[in-house]
Amino acid sequence: MAANGVVSGKSLIVGFGEMLIGFVPTVSDVSLAEAPGFLKAPGGAPANVAIAVARLGEKASFIGKLGDDEFGHMLANILKQKTESPTMGADMLLKPEELNLDLIKSGKVFHYGSISLIVEPCRSAHLKAMEVAKEAGALLSYDPNLRLPLWPSAEEARKQILSIWDKADIVKVSDVELEFLTGSDKVDDETAMKLWRPNFTLLLVTLGEKGSRYYTKKFHGTVDAFHVNTVDTTGTGDSFVGALPCKIVHDPSILEDESKLREVLRFASACGAITTTKKGAIPALPTKPRPLP
């Protein structure tokens, strides 16, 4: 199942990777076996990011592949409602020749994860899409979104996630991913800098309720989190990541101005916090504030 489209405009933000249906227990703090029921929750990190961008009022597209079944059609309809030009076709079966290269070239930011690196042909499609986006001058944004059960082994996951590390401009990892990728049991500046690369413009480490840390070529620091009544943390990181390009596409100097960057990270933290107040990822993503009458 495929549909291609291009949105004009320099501020287009393109997400690449997986979209899926998750099943969220209707009751919190119980095991899956003990849950009395489940809610269908559309998600998938790159798709969540694209939809987060669209809900914040920016132009977003998603490139991935969906199954030609009821769930696939459901997800396609969600994309059509939430983003401006989905490119769809199931997940790991996306081939390089199916890529909408014009769409990729039109993006100002190209965002991706690591799930699409697990098997062929999607891995080759991922690498091709990154190459095309980079050549077109897009800012490459990478959130590994580690999901160990999907990988053949932890070693393979680490190897493949790091295989494209040097290509990105912006990288976001969680504290758990930082420990996994570095082999360290410490979450501090020294450990984070093990993941730094000379071509990076920004490295982010999210710390849950402790906020986030940011690293650039010229400065680094910490931004506190907002504390809310948390219902479900699904999609929190995707909401955080989606908020960043919404600001950066309009003012790239944010990445070189610490006061501006801190303000943007506070905005991203607020978006992440809002997402935790509802169940599921996409239904909980915040929307652009309406102007007061």
Side-chain angles (χ1 to χ4, degrees), residues 136-180:
L139 197 69
L140 299 193
S141 168
Y142 185 20
D143 177 0
N145 192 40
L146 178 65
R147 295 292 182 268
L148 271 179
L150 300 180
W151 290 89
S153 67
E155 292 73 19
E156 181 68 9
R158 188 180 294 107
K159 174 185 175 182
Q160 295 299 339
I161 288 172
L162 293 175
S163 71
I164 59 171
W165 203 254
D166 295 357
K167 306 293 185 182
D169 298 296
I170 298 174
V171 173
K172 172 260 172 187
V173 294
S174 68
D175 47 1
V176 173
E177 290 164 343
L178 176 64
E179 293 176 335
F180 173 77

Side-chain angles (χ1 to χ4, degrees), residues 64-84:
K65 198 163 187 179
L66 304 174
D68 190 9
D69 54 24
E70 289 191 14
F71 279 156
H73 289 283
M74 171 188 167
L75 293 173
N77 287 331
I78 290 171
L79 281 171
K80 290 175 182 177
Q81 295 167 14
K82 304 297 183 182
T83 66
E84 299 206 26

Side-chain angles (χ1 to χ4, degrees), residues 105-290:
K105 292 175 183 177
S106 68
K108 195 168 183 180
V109 176
F110 184 76
H111 177 79
Y112 50 91
S114 68
I115 301 303
S116 45
L117 296 173
I118 296 176
V119 296
E120 294 288 0
C122 193
R123 174 176 165 77
S124 291
H126 183 143
L127 297 177
K128 177 65 174 180
M130 284 177 54
E131 178 186 356
V132 171
K134 192 71 171 180
E135 290 179 352
L139 197 69
L140 299 193
S141 168
Y142 185 20
D143 177 0
N145 192 40
L146 178 65
R147 295 292 182 268
L148 271 179
L150 300 180
W151 290 89
S153 67
E155 292 73 19
E156 181 68 9
R158 188 180 294 107
K159 174 185 175 182
Q160 295 299 339
I161 288 172
L162 293 175
S163 71
I164 59 171
W165 203 254
D166 295 357
K167 306 293 185 182
D169 298 296
I170 298 174
V171 173
K172 172 260 172 187
V173 294
S174 68
D175 47 1
V176 173
E177 290 164 343
L178 176 64
E179 293 176 335
F180 173 77
L181 293 172
T182 62
S184 173
D185 59 358
K186 295 181 179 180
V187 179
D188 55 20
D189 292 341
E190 182 179 355
T191 304
M193 290 307 294
K194 292 180 180 179
L195 295 181
W196 177 263
R197 297 296 185 271
N199 57 290
F200 284 5
T201 54
L202 178 63
L203 172 64
L204 294 165
V205 181
T206 54
L207 308 169
E209 62 182 15
K210 296 180 181 179
S212 61
R213 291 177 181 166
Y214 57 89
Y215 304 86
T216 74
K217 291 181 175 70
K218 298 180 180 179
F219 50 79
H220 67 274
T222 302
V223 172
D224 293 335
F226 289 89
H227 296 284
V228 296
N229 294 324
T230 298
V231 174
D232 180 15
T233 59
T234 305
T236 305
D238 304 328
S239 181
F240 177 93
V241 171
L244 294 173
C246 290
K247 301 296 184 181
I248 294 171
V249 291
H250 297 296
D251 183 7
S253 71
I254 286 168
L255 296 170
E256 300 176 357
D257 185 318
E258 187 168 13
S259 62
K260 287 183 179 180
L261 180 60
R262 289 183 63 85
E263 183 178 346
V264 169
L265 291 175
R266 287 282 288 170
F267 172 72
S269 294
C271 289
I274 291 170
T275 307
T276 70
T277 62
K278 295 180 181 179
K279 285 187 177 294
I282 291 175
L285 294 171
T287 55
K288 184 178 180 179
R290 295 180 180 178

Side-chain angles (χ1 to χ4, degrees), residues 25-107:
T26 54
V27 177
S28 301
D29 301 322
V30 298
S31 68
L32 294 178
E34 295 172 332
F38 299 86
L39 297 174
K40 295 192 302 290
N48 290 343
V49 170
I51 292 173
V53 168
R55 294 191 72 169
L56 290 172
E58 297 298 329
K59 293 180 179 179
S61 292
F62 173 72
I63 297 176
K65 198 163 187 179
L66 304 174
D68 190 9
D69 54 24
E70 289 191 14
F71 279 156
H73 289 283
M74 171 188 167
L75 293 173
N77 287 331
I78 290 171
L79 281 171
K80 290 175 182 177
Q81 295 167 14
K82 304 297 183 182
T83 66
E84 299 206 26
S85 76
T87 298
M88 301 162 294
D91 203 349
M92 299 300 182
L93 301 179
L94 182 65
K95 301 174 183 178
E97 58 268 28
E98 294 177 309
L99 293 171
N100 184 332
L101 301 184
D102 288 335
L103 178 61
I104 295 171
K105 292 175 183 177
S106 68

